[in-house]
Amino acid sequence: MKEILREIGMIARALDSISNIEFKEYDLTRGQYLYLVRICESPGIIQEKVAELIKVDRTTAARSIKKLEMNGFIVKKEDEHNKKIKKLYPTAKGKNIFPFIKRENDHSNTVALEGLSEEEIENLIDLLKRVRGNVEKNWEFVKKGNKRSY
Amino acid sequence: MKEILREIGMIARALDSISNIEFKEYDLTRGQYLYLVRICESPGIIQEKVAELIKVDRTTAARSIKKLEMNGFIVKKEDEHNKKIKKLYPTAKGKNIFPFIKRENDHSNTVALEGLSEEEIENLIDLLKRVRGNVEKNWEFVKKGNKRSY
DNA sequence: TTAATTTTGTTGTATTTGCAACAAAAAACA
DNA sequence: TGTTTTTTGTTGCAAATACAACAAAATTAA
């Protein structure tokens, strides 16, 4: 059995750890960059959706986003037609650090892909997207309380 | 810029989340399966090494492993020639659940790789190993307090 | 339309995580 | 040899994470 998930876990933890250390400089605490990036990319998104994208528990996302708001990186806005949801938008402060986050992420990407040809990179991203598609279905299934049988 | 690390982060969090939910059945709390697997695979390994393999903070590993010990999954043994290190070994209880962890991980692997050909799987694991090699150098560098320049 | 279900958001609580700081043994150095 | 540096392990503390449980709005079903 090829240990795909082990490799992926190692890579993910290492990169996340590096990012968290590097973003302290911008007063972003652990994990916050993930949320801010998504909100900058999709202004008006709601937190439930952010949690789904990142694959993190709803309540974790709620608290991280609350903190981003308290620290002035984003704002929550009521919706005209839907009293339940709160749309999320980056503030000027949030928008300002977005490029720094991108730059860091791009650097990590570049380092990670060192020694791979263009073709191999294309290939890798394609394979990973397919794997992610497979995995996210299972995640939603299990998160909703269903039991996988195997 | 191809967002490799984003895909990897999503996959890793989703799979880890699934595993944590599924292993509660065996009285393993969050993250513990990672450590137990490594100790079962390399009896006599020290916790510093385990942290390095998993790519997790030393102190986090220390506490997870302490808990594994308290709950009777592993034991720490003194070394003959080196008073500083403590070698880690699975107990009978630890060895007993190891196959269940393997089975779950194998299932997640299988699900993750659904729709990929044998060749694509070979290719993916090869690419991931190279990426992991790149990333782990950076991780150790940053973890030691060094600053990446970019 | 009313009733049942799903979606979205929140808070209480327990646990995990990781940084900082410390200590002691071992290894490297001079 | 003695001194410095590295390795390994620990604890205090602050923060993140996630499960459970709840509430209210929106959607679906009857």
Side-chain angles (χ1 to χ4, degrees), chain A residues 7-40:
Chain A
E7 295 296 330
I8 287 183
M10 294 166 79
I11 297 167
R13 278 186 298 273
L15 289 174
D16 187 55
S17 170
I18 291 172
S19 293
N20 284 323
I21 290 168
E22 293 184 332
F23 290 140
K24 265 186 281 189
E25 187 179 338
Y26 304 114
D27 294 312
L28 286 173
T29 54
R30 204 149 61 88
Q32 296 208 293
Y33 74 97
L34 290 170
Y35 304 89
L36 184 52
V37 163
R38 297 298 189 149
I39 294 166
C40 285

PDB file of all heavy atoms in Angstrom, chain A residues 7-40:
ATOM      1  N   GLU A   7       2.520  10.966   3.343  1.00  0.00           N
ATOM      2  CA  GLU A   7       3.322  12.017   2.701  1.00  0.00           C
ATOM      3  C   GLU A   7       2.582  13.351   2.735  1.00  0.00           C
ATOM      4  O   GLU A   7       3.151  14.399   3.045  1.00  0.00           O
ATOM      5  CB  GLU A   7       3.620  11.650   1.237  1.00  0.00           C
ATOM      6  CG  GLU A   7       4.501  10.427   1.051  1.00  0.00           C
ATOM      7  CD  GLU A   7       5.905  10.610   1.613  1.00  0.00           C
ATOM      8  OE1 GLU A   7       6.413  11.743   1.637  1.00  0.00           O
ATOM      9  OE2 GLU A   7       6.495   9.601   2.045  1.00  0.00           O
ATOM     10  N   ILE A   8       1.305  13.286   2.423  1.00  0.00           N
ATOM     11  CA  ILE A   8       0.504  14.511   2.379  1.00  0.00           C
ATOM     12  C   ILE A   8       0.417  15.148   3.760  1.00  0.00           C
ATOM     13  O   ILE A   8       0.538  16.366   3.909  1.00  0.00           O
ATOM     14  CB  ILE A   8      -0.893  14.208   1.806  1.00  0.00           C
ATOM     15  CG1 ILE A   8      -0.759  13.971   0.306  1.00  0.00           C
ATOM     16  CG2 ILE A   8      -1.876  15.327   2.099  1.00  0.00           C
ATOM     17  CD1 ILE A   8      -2.048  13.720  -0.427  1.00  0.00           C
ATOM     18  N   GLY A   9       0.246  14.334   4.780  1.00  0.00           N
ATOM     19  CA  GLY A   9       0.194  14.851   6.137  1.00  0.00           C
ATOM     20  C   GLY A   9       1.489  15.545   6.529  1.00  0.00           C
ATOM     21  O   GLY A   9       1.483  16.624   7.113  1.00  0.00           O
ATOM     22  N   MET A  10       2.605  14.919   6.194  1.00  0.00           N
ATOM     23  CA  MET A  10       3.902  15.505   6.526  1.00  0.00           C
ATOM     24  C   MET A  10       4.096  16.845   5.829  1.00  0.00           C
ATOM     25  O   MET A  10       4.512  17.831   6.441  1.00  0.00           O
ATOM     26  CB  MET A  10       5.035  14.544   6.118  1.00  0.00           C
ATOM     27  CG  MET A  10       5.063  13.249   6.919  1.00  0.00           C
ATOM     28  SD  MET A  10       6.116  11.981   6.165  1.00  0.00           S
ATOM     29  CE  MET A  10       7.733  12.523   6.672  1.00  0.00           C
ATOM     30  N   ILE A  11       3.781  16.864   4.554  1.00  0.00           N
ATOM     31  CA  ILE A  11       3.953  18.103   3.781  1.00  0.00           C
ATOM     32  C   ILE A  11       3.050  19.195   4.339  1.00  0.00           C
ATOM     33  O   ILE A  11       3.476  20.335   4.555  1.00  0.00           O
ATOM     34  CB  ILE A  11       3.621  17.864   2.290  1.00  0.00           C
ATOM     35  CG1 ILE A  11       4.591  16.842   1.675  1.00  0.00           C
ATOM     36  CG2 ILE A  11       3.659  19.170   1.515  1.00  0.00           C
ATOM     37  CD1 ILE A  11       4.163  16.306   0.316  1.00  0.00           C
ATOM     38  N   ALA A  12       1.808  18.847   4.603  1.00  0.00           N
ATOM     39  CA  ALA A  12       0.841  19.839   5.073  1.00  0.00           C
ATOM     40  C   ALA A  12       1.241  20.419   6.420  1.00  0.00           C
ATOM     41  O   ALA A  12       1.209  21.640   6.609  1.00  0.00           O
ATOM     42  CB  ALA A  12      -0.549  19.210   5.157  1.00  0.00           C
ATOM     43  N   ARG A  13       1.630  19.560   7.351  1.00  0.00           N
ATOM     44  CA  ARG A  13       2.009  20.076   8.665  1.00  0.00           C
ATOM     45  C   ARG A  13       3.255  20.947   8.590  1.00  0.00           C
ATOM     46  O   ARG A  13       3.343  21.994   9.237  1.00  0.00           O
ATOM     47  CB  ARG A  13       2.214  18.927   9.662  1.00  0.00           C
ATOM     48  CG  ARG A  13       0.906  18.409  10.267  1.00  0.00           C
ATOM     49  CD  ARG A  13       1.169  17.366  11.355  1.00  0.00           C
ATOM     50  NE  ARG A  13       1.854  16.211  10.806  1.00  0.00           N
ATOM     51  CZ  ARG A  13       1.243  15.155  10.253  1.00  0.00           C
ATOM     52  NH1 ARG A  13      -0.069  15.117  10.198  1.00  0.00           N
ATOM     53  NH2 ARG A  13       1.939  14.147   9.769  1.00  0.00           N
ATOM     54  N   ALA A  14       4.228  20.512   7.791  1.00  0.00           N
ATOM     55  CA  ALA A  14       5.463  21.291   7.673  1.00  0.00           C
ATOM     56  C   ALA A  14       5.189  22.679   7.093  1.00  0.00           C
ATOM     57  O   ALA A  14       5.645  23.689   7.625  1.00  0.00           O
ATOM     58  CB  ALA A  14       6.472  20.541   6.810  1.00  0.00           C
ATOM     59  N   LEU A  15       4.418  22.719   6.021  1.00  0.00           N
ATOM     60  CA  LEU A  15       4.147  24.011   5.386  1.00  0.00           C
ATOM     61  C   LEU A  15       3.295  24.906   6.264  1.00  0.00           C
ATOM     62  O   LEU A  15       3.511  26.116   6.348  1.00  0.00           O
ATOM     63  CB  LEU A  15       3.457  23.808   4.032  1.00  0.00           C
ATOM     64  CG  LEU A  15       4.327  23.235   2.915  1.00  0.00           C
ATOM     65  CD1 LEU A  15       3.494  22.956   1.683  1.00  0.00           C
ATOM     66  CD2 LEU A  15       5.467  24.194   2.578  1.00  0.00           C
ATOM     67  N   ASP A  16       2.330  24.317   6.939  1.00  0.00           N
ATOM     68  CA  ASP A  16       1.457  25.092   7.816  1.00  0.00           C
ATOM     69  C   ASP A  16       2.266  25.667   8.975  1.00  0.00           C
ATOM     70  O   ASP A  16       2.105  26.835   9.348  1.00  0.00           O
ATOM     71  CB  ASP A  16       0.338  24.195   8.333  1.00  0.00           C
ATOM     72  CG  ASP A  16      -0.702  24.972   9.109  1.00  0.00           C
ATOM     73  OD1 ASP A  16      -1.240  25.951   8.555  1.00  0.00           O
ATOM     74  OD2 ASP A  16      -0.971  24.615  10.266  1.00  0.00           O
ATOM     75  N   SER A  17       3.136  24.850   9.505  1.00  0.00           N
ATOM     76  CA  SER A  17       3.996  25.280  10.601  1.00  0.00           C
ATOM     77  C   SER A  17       4.875  26.462  10.178  1.00  0.00           C
ATOM     78  O   SER A  17       4.991  27.461  10.888  1.00  0.00           O
ATOM     79  CB  SER A  17       4.844  24.092  11.032  1.00  0.00           C
ATOM     80  OG  SER A  17       5.853  24.472  11.921  1.00  0.00           O
ATOM     81  N   ILE A  18       5.468  26.365   9.010  1.00  0.00           N
ATOM     82  CA  ILE A  18       6.302  27.452   8.480  1.00  0.00           C
ATOM     83  C   ILE A  18       5.470  28.725   8.322  1.00  0.00           C
ATOM     84  O   ILE A  18       5.867  29.810   8.771  1.00  0.00           O
ATOM     85  CB  ILE A  18       6.914  27.054   7.116  1.00  0.00           C
ATOM     86  CG1 ILE A  18       7.957  25.949   7.292  1.00  0.00           C
ATOM     87  CG2 ILE A  18       7.536  28.271   6.434  1.00  0.00           C
ATOM     88  CD1 ILE A  18       8.480  25.369   5.975  1.00  0.00           C
ATOM     89  N   SER A  19       4.309  28.600   7.722  1.00  0.00           N
ATOM     90  CA  SER A  19       3.451  29.773   7.507  1.00  0.00           C
ATOM     91  C   SER A  19       3.081  30.430   8.828  1.00  0.00           C
ATOM     92  O   SER A  19       3.125  31.654   8.962  1.00  0.00           O
ATOM     93  CB  SER A  19       2.174  29.375   6.759  1.00  0.00           C
ATOM     94  OG  SER A  19       2.486  28.968   5.443  1.00  0.00           O
ATOM     95  N   ASN A  20       2.704  29.629   9.790  1.00  0.00           N
ATOM     96  CA  ASN A  20       2.301  30.187  11.075  1.00  0.00           C
ATOM     97  C   ASN A  20       3.428  30.964  11.735  1.00  0.00           C
ATOM     98  O   ASN A  20       3.203  32.021  12.326  1.00  0.00           O
ATOM     99  CB  ASN A  20       1.793  29.081  11.999  1.00  0.00           C
ATOM    100  CG  ASN A  20       0.402  28.621  11.610  1.00  0.00           C
ATOM    101  OD1 ASN A  20      -0.434  29.416  11.193  1.00  0.00           O
ATOM    102  ND2 ASN A  20       0.146  27.323  11.718  1.00  0.00           N
ATOM    103  N   ILE A  21       4.625  30.433  11.623  1.00  0.00           N
ATOM    104  CA  ILE A  21       5.774  31.141  12.184  1.00  0.00           C
ATOM    105  C   ILE A  21       6.001  32.459  11.434  1.00  0.00           C
ATOM    106  O   ILE A  21       6.190  33.509  12.037  1.00  0.00           O
ATOM    107  CB  ILE A  21       7.031  30.247  12.123  1.00  0.00           C
ATOM    108  CG1 ILE A  21       6.897  29.080  13.119  1.00  0.00           C
ATOM    109  CG2 ILE A  21       8.294  31.057  12.420  1.00  0.00           C
ATOM    110  CD1 ILE A  21       7.928  27.980  12.961  1.00  0.00           C
ATOM    111  N   GLU A  22       5.919  32.391  10.112  1.00  0.00           N
ATOM    112  CA  GLU A  22       6.231  33.580   9.317  1.00  0.00           C
ATOM    113  C   GLU A  22       5.157  34.664   9.404  1.00  0.00           C
ATOM    114  O   GLU A  22       5.450  35.845   9.257  1.00  0.00           O
ATOM    115  CB  GLU A  22       6.500  33.169   7.864  1.00  0.00           C
ATOM    116  CG  GLU A  22       7.779  32.339   7.772  1.00  0.00           C
ATOM    117  CD  GLU A  22       8.196  31.951   6.360  1.00  0.00           C
ATOM    118  OE1 GLU A  22       7.315  31.829   5.486  1.00  0.00           O
ATOM    119  OE2 GLU A  22       9.382  31.756   6.138  1.00  0.00           O
ATOM    120  N   PHE A  23       3.914  34.284   9.653  1.00  0.00           N
ATOM    121  CA  PHE A  23       2.847  35.285   9.665  1.00  0.00           C
ATOM    122  C   PHE A  23       2.671  35.967  11.012  1.00  0.00           C
ATOM    123  O   PHE A  23       1.886  36.912  11.126  1.00  0.00           O
ATOM    124  CB  PHE A  23       1.527  34.681   9.202  1.00  0.00           C
ATOM    125  CG  PHE A  23       1.513  34.338   7.745  1.00  0.00           C
ATOM    126  CD1 PHE A  23       0.916  33.174   7.294  1.00  0.00           C
ATOM    127  CD2 PHE A  23       2.116  35.174   6.818  1.00  0.00           C
ATOM    128  CE1 PHE A  23       0.918  32.850   5.943  1.00  0.00           C
ATOM    129  CE2 PHE A  23       2.128  34.865   5.468  1.00  0.00           C
ATOM    130  CZ  PHE A  23       1.526  33.697   5.033  1.00  0.00           C
ATOM    131  N   LYS A  24       3.400  35.508  12.009  1.00  0.00           N
ATOM    132  CA  LYS A  24       3.315  36.208  13.295  1.00  0.00           C
ATOM    133  C   LYS A  24       3.757  37.655  13.143  1.00  0.00           C
ATOM    134  O   LYS A  24       3.255  38.550  13.821  1.00  0.00           O
ATOM    135  CB  LYS A  24       4.174  35.488  14.336  1.00  0.00           C
ATOM    136  CG  LYS A  24       3.340  34.517  15.159  1.00  0.00           C
ATOM    137  CD  LYS A  24       4.130  33.908  16.277  1.00  0.00           C
ATOM    138  CE  LYS A  24       4.993  32.799  15.708  1.00  0.00           C
ATOM    139  NZ  LYS A  24       5.656  32.004  16.742  1.00  0.00           N
ATOM    140  N   GLU A  25       4.663  37.848  12.214  1.00  0.00           N
ATOM    141  CA  GLU A  25       5.144  39.185  11.884  1.00  0.00           C
ATOM    142  C   GLU A  25       4.004  40.134  11.504  1.00  0.00           C
ATOM    143  O   GLU A  25       4.085  41.339  11.722  1.00  0.00           O
ATOM    144  CB  GLU A  25       6.120  39.028  10.713  1.00  0.00           C
ATOM    145  CG  GLU A  25       6.860  40.270  10.312  1.00  0.00           C
ATOM    146  CD  GLU A  25       7.815  39.976   9.141  1.00  0.00           C
ATOM    147  OE1 GLU A  25       8.191  38.786   8.935  1.00  0.00           O
ATOM    148  OE2 GLU A  25       8.177  40.916   8.444  1.00  0.00           O
ATOM    149  N   TYR A  26       2.948  39.609  10.947  1.00  0.00           N
ATOM    150  CA  TYR A  26       1.797  40.429  10.538  1.00  0.00           C
ATOM    151  C   TYR A  26       0.650  40.360  11.551  1.00  0.00           C
ATOM    152  O   TYR A  26      -0.494  40.686  11.234  1.00  0.00           O
ATOM    153  CB  TYR A  26       1.299  39.990   9.165  1.00  0.00           C
ATOM    154  CG  TYR A  26       2.371  40.018   8.108  1.00  0.00           C
ATOM    155  CD1 TYR A  26       2.822  38.829   7.523  1.00  0.00           C
ATOM    156  CD2 TYR A  26       2.964  41.211   7.702  1.00  0.00           C
ATOM    157  CE1 TYR A  26       3.824  38.842   6.565  1.00  0.00           C
ATOM    158  CE2 TYR A  26       3.968  41.229   6.751  1.00  0.00           C
ATOM    159  CZ  TYR A  26       4.387  40.045   6.187  1.00  0.00           C
ATOM    160  OH  TYR A  26       5.383  40.049   5.238  1.00  0.00           O
ATOM    161  N   ASP A  27       0.967  39.896  12.756  1.00  0.00           N
ATOM    162  CA  ASP A  27      -0.044  39.787  13.820  1.00  0.00           C
ATOM    163  C   ASP A  27      -1.172  38.824  13.490  1.00  0.00           C
ATOM    164  O   ASP A  27      -2.300  39.001  13.967  1.00  0.00           O
ATOM    165  CB  ASP A  27      -0.616  41.159  14.184  1.00  0.00           C
ATOM    166  CG  ASP A  27       0.444  42.053  14.810  1.00  0.00           C
ATOM    167  OD1 ASP A  27       1.139  41.577  15.724  1.00  0.00           O
ATOM    168  OD2 ASP A  27       0.587  43.203  14.375  1.00  0.00           O
ATOM    169  N   LEU A  28      -0.867  37.851  12.656  1.00  0.00           N
ATOM    170  CA  LEU A  28      -1.852  36.795  12.393  1.00  0.00           C
ATOM    171  C   LEU A  28      -1.477  35.602  13.252  1.00  0.00           C
ATOM    172  O   LEU A  28      -0.346  35.118  13.184  1.00  0.00           O
ATOM    173  CB  LEU A  28      -1.818  36.387  10.924  1.00  0.00           C
ATOM    174  CG  LEU A  28      -2.424  37.370   9.924  1.00  0.00           C
ATOM    175  CD1 LEU A  28      -2.158  36.899   8.509  1.00  0.00           C
ATOM    176  CD2 LEU A  28      -3.918  37.515  10.161  1.00  0.00           C
ATOM    177  N   THR A  29      -2.395  35.135  14.063  1.00  0.00           N
ATOM    178  CA  THR A  29      -2.086  33.970  14.874  1.00  0.00           C
ATOM    179  C   THR A  29      -2.385  32.691  14.095  1.00  0.00           C
ATOM    180  O   THR A  29      -2.896  32.721  12.980  1.00  0.00           O
ATOM    181  CB  THR A  29      -2.861  33.988  16.202  1.00  0.00           C
ATOM    182  OG1 THR A  29      -4.246  34.127  15.928  1.00  0.00           O
ATOM    183  CG2 THR A  29      -2.408  35.157  17.054  1.00  0.00           C
ATOM    184  N   ARG A  30      -2.085  31.600  14.710  1.00  0.00           N
ATOM    185  CA  ARG A  30      -2.115  30.294  14.060  1.00  0.00           C
ATOM    186  C   ARG A  30      -3.390  30.026  13.243  1.00  0.00           C
ATOM    187  O   ARG A  30      -4.499  30.132  13.766  1.00  0.00           O
ATOM    188  CB  ARG A  30      -1.935  29.203  15.114  1.00  0.00           C
ATOM    189  CG  ARG A  30      -1.392  27.900  14.608  1.00  0.00           C
ATOM    190  CD  ARG A  30      -0.565  27.180  15.665  1.00  0.00           C
ATOM    191  NE  ARG A  30      -1.341  26.854  16.833  1.00  0.00           N
ATOM    192  CZ  ARG A  30      -2.041  25.724  16.963  1.00  0.00           C
ATOM    193  NH1 ARG A  30      -2.017  24.828  16.000  1.00  0.00           N
ATOM    194  NH2 ARG A  30      -2.711  25.491  18.047  1.00  0.00           N
ATOM    195  N   GLY A  31      -3.213  29.700  11.996  1.00  0.00           N
ATOM    196  CA  GLY A  31      -4.345  29.319  11.160  1.00  0.00           C
ATOM    197  C   GLY A  31      -5.071  30.468  10.483  1.00  0.00           C
ATOM    198  O   GLY A  31      -5.759  30.243   9.482  1.00  0.00           O
ATOM    199  N   GLN A  32      -4.922  31.674  11.016  1.00  0.00           N
ATOM    200  CA  GLN A  32      -5.742  32.780  10.512  1.00  0.00           C
ATOM    201  C   GLN A  32      -5.524  33.108   9.046  1.00  0.00           C
ATOM    202  O   GLN A  32      -6.447  33.556   8.362  1.00  0.00           O
ATOM    203  CB  GLN A  32      -5.495  34.023  11.353  1.00  0.00           C
ATOM    204  CG  GLN A  32      -5.929  33.829  12.782  1.00  0.00           C
ATOM    205  CD  GLN A  32      -6.332  35.137  13.407  1.00  0.00           C
ATOM    206  OE1 GLN A  32      -5.501  36.008  13.610  1.00  0.00           O
ATOM    207  NE2 GLN A  32      -7.596  35.267  13.686  1.00  0.00           N
ATOM    208  N   TYR A  33      -4.316  32.892   8.572  1.00  0.00           N
ATOM    209  CA  TYR A  33      -4.040  33.203   7.173  1.00  0.00           C
ATOM    210  C   TYR A  33      -4.953  32.427   6.223  1.00  0.00           C
ATOM    211  O   TYR A  33      -5.388  32.941   5.201  1.00  0.00           O
ATOM    212  CB  TYR A  33      -2.563  32.948   6.848  1.00  0.00           C
ATOM    213  CG  TYR A  33      -2.167  31.491   6.744  1.00  0.00           C
ATOM    214  CD1 TYR A  33      -2.086  30.845   5.513  1.00  0.00           C
ATOM    215  CD2 TYR A  33      -1.871  30.744   7.891  1.00  0.00           C
ATOM    216  CE1 TYR A  33      -1.722  29.513   5.422  1.00  0.00           C
ATOM    217  CE2 TYR A  33      -1.508  29.423   7.809  1.00  0.00           C
ATOM    218  CZ  TYR A  33      -1.431  28.806   6.577  1.00  0.00           C
ATOM    219  OH  TYR A  33      -1.084  27.487   6.501  1.00  0.00           O
ATOM    220  N   LEU A  34      -5.278  31.212   6.590  1.00  0.00           N
ATOM    221  CA  LEU A  34      -6.133  30.387   5.756  1.00  0.00           C
ATOM    222  C   LEU A  34      -7.478  31.054   5.501  1.00  0.00           C
ATOM    223  O   LEU A  34      -7.976  31.095   4.373  1.00  0.00           O
ATOM    224  CB  LEU A  34      -6.393  29.040   6.444  1.00  0.00           C
ATOM    225  CG  LEU A  34      -5.230  28.063   6.548  1.00  0.00           C
ATOM    226  CD1 LEU A  34      -5.606  26.914   7.471  1.00  0.00           C
ATOM    227  CD2 LEU A  34      -4.880  27.526   5.168  1.00  0.00           C
ATOM    228  N   TYR A  35      -8.060  31.576   6.584  1.00  0.00           N
ATOM    229  CA  TYR A  35      -9.375  32.186   6.494  1.00  0.00           C
ATOM    230  C   TYR A  35      -9.311  33.507   5.752  1.00  0.00           C
ATOM    231  O   TYR A  35     -10.143  33.785   4.884  1.00  0.00           O
ATOM    232  CB  TYR A  35      -9.950  32.399   7.901  1.00  0.00           C
ATOM    233  CG  TYR A  35     -10.011  31.129   8.699  1.00  0.00           C
ATOM    234  CD1 TYR A  35      -8.937  30.715   9.479  1.00  0.00           C
ATOM    235  CD2 TYR A  35     -11.136  30.307   8.633  1.00  0.00           C
ATOM    236  CE1 TYR A  35      -8.978  29.525  10.188  1.00  0.00           C
ATOM    237  CE2 TYR A  35     -11.189  29.118   9.347  1.00  0.00           C
ATOM    238  CZ  TYR A  35     -10.099  28.735  10.123  1.00  0.00           C
ATOM    239  OH  TYR A  35     -10.141  27.561  10.820  1.00  0.00           O
ATOM    240  N   LEU A  36      -8.310  34.298   6.088  1.00  0.00           N
ATOM    241  CA  LEU A  36      -8.192  35.611   5.464  1.00  0.00           C
ATOM    242  C   LEU A  36      -8.024  35.494   3.953  1.00  0.00           C
ATOM    243  O   LEU A  36      -8.644  36.239   3.188  1.00  0.00           O
ATOM    244  CB  LEU A  36      -7.011  36.380   6.089  1.00  0.00           C
ATOM    245  CG  LEU A  36      -6.828  37.819   5.599  1.00  0.00           C
ATOM    246  CD1 LEU A  36      -8.111  38.627   5.719  1.00  0.00           C
ATOM    247  CD2 LEU A  36      -5.701  38.503   6.364  1.00  0.00           C
ATOM    248  N   VAL A  37      -7.227  34.548   3.524  1.00  0.00           N
ATOM    249  CA  VAL A  37      -7.024  34.338   2.089  1.00  0.00           C
ATOM    250  C   VAL A  37      -8.348  34.039   1.396  1.00  0.00           C
ATOM    251  O   VAL A  37      -8.680  34.617   0.365  1.00  0.00           O
ATOM    252  CB  VAL A  37      -6.033  33.185   1.842  1.00  0.00           C
ATOM    253  CG1 VAL A  37      -6.120  32.687   0.406  1.00  0.00           C
ATOM    254  CG2 VAL A  37      -4.612  33.614   2.164  1.00  0.00           C
ATOM    255  N   ARG A  38      -9.118  33.158   1.978  1.00  0.00           N
ATOM    256  CA  ARG A  38     -10.378  32.778   1.347  1.00  0.00           C
ATOM    257  C   ARG A  38     -11.363  33.940   1.292  1.00  0.00           C
ATOM    258  O   ARG A  38     -12.122  34.088   0.342  1.00  0.00           O
ATOM    259  CB  ARG A  38     -11.009  31.607   2.103  1.00  0.00           C
ATOM    260  CG  ARG A  38     -10.170  30.342   2.093  1.00  0.00           C
ATOM    261  CD  ARG A  38      -9.965  29.798   0.698  1.00  0.00           C
ATOM    262  NE  ARG A  38      -9.333  28.477   0.717  1.00  0.00           N
ATOM    263  CZ  ARG A  38      -9.554  27.547  -0.201  1.00  0.00           C
ATOM    264  NH1 ARG A  38     -10.343  27.781  -1.231  1.00  0.00           N
ATOM    265  NH2 ARG A  38      -8.941  26.383  -0.119  1.00  0.00           N
ATOM    266  N   ILE A  39     -11.368  34.752   2.339  1.00  0.00           N
ATOM    267  CA  ILE A  39     -12.285  35.891   2.384  1.00  0.00           C
ATOM    268  C   ILE A  39     -11.841  36.965   1.380  1.00  0.00           C
ATOM    269  O   ILE A  39     -12.670  37.568   0.713  1.00  0.00           O
ATOM    270  CB  ILE A  39     -12.393  36.460   3.813  1.00  0.00           C
ATOM    271  CG1 ILE A  39     -13.064  35.416   4.721  1.00  0.00           C
ATOM    272  CG2 ILE A  39     -13.182  37.764   3.827  1.00  0.00           C
ATOM    273  CD1 ILE A  39     -12.938  35.705   6.206  1.00  0.00           C
ATOM    274  N   CYS A  40     -10.540  37.141   1.259  1.00  0.00           N
ATOM    275  CA  CYS A  40     -10.045  38.103   0.265  1.00  0.00           C
ATOM    276  C   CYS A  40     -10.362  37.626  -1.152  1.00  0.00           C
ATOM    277  O   CYS A  40     -10.674  38.417  -2.025  1.00  0.00           O
ATOM    278  CB  CYS A  40      -8.535  38.296   0.405  1.00  0.00           C
ATOM    279  SG  CYS A  40      -8.055  39.299   1.816  1.00  0.00           S
TER     280      CYS A  40
END
